Amino acid sequence: QVQLVESGGGSVQAGGSLTLACRASGADYETFGMGWFRQAPGKEREGVASITRVSAGGIKMYADSVKGRFTITSDNANSTLYLRMNSLRLEDTAMYYCAANRLGAATLLDEFWDYWGQGTQVTVSA
């Protein structure tokens, strides 16, 4: 069992930056694939970024909409996942969720993820 707790959300103007954090506990963090998802009001949840388990090389994957703007990183010593978000746009407004999968894979497909955090709200204004 893995517990995931997100933090770092907030309100920011378009063009600004935020860094989200996800603290994991309860299991061997390094064996899990980790990722960030988001869900805007009235829309389906979508994958934003993910990273493979350590032994698979920590390979990263990004949604096309955030490539070049968002960066996913993992502090394995502290079991914490980060999402650095730069050049934020109005359309980045959403609830952001941290997730973990037992496969250790990096995927943006919803059905492969086993554990979810409660989410942290990001609001981008003009």
Side-chain angles (χ1 to χ4, degrees), residues 17-120:
S17 298
L18 279 176
T19 298
L20 307 183
C22 171
R23 181 74 164 86
S25 62
D28 190 350
Y29 175 82
E30 294 188 1
T31 67
F32 286 82
M34 299 296 297
W36 289 97
F37 288 73
R38 68 185 181 187
Q39 188 168 21
K43 295 187 177 181
E44 293 188 354
R45 186 165 58 192
E46 63 172 347
V48 175
S50 62
I51 185 169
T52 66
R53 66 182 185 274
V54 173
S55 62
I59 298 170
K60 302 174 183 180
M61 178 181 292
Y62 296 94
D64 288 343
S65 59
V66 306
K67 280 180 182 176
R69 301 189 299 123
F70 290 12
T71 302
I72 186 170
T73 57
S74 183
D75 179 353
N76 298 317
N78 292 295
S79 301
T80 302
L81 185 74
Y82 295 96
L83 185 68
R84 175 65 178 178
M85 305 184 293
N86 294 327
S87 303
L88 282 161
R89 304 169 179 169
L90 298 179
E91 56 264 36
D92 294 319
T93 294
M95 184 70 79
Y96 283 72
Y97 298 91
C98 175
N101 73 72
R102 292 190 295 262
L103 288 173
T107 173
L108 301 180
L109 299 176
D110 207 75
E111 59 263 36
F112 288 98
W113 297 84
D114 302 297
Y115 304 102
W116 297 86
Q118 293 299 307
T120 185

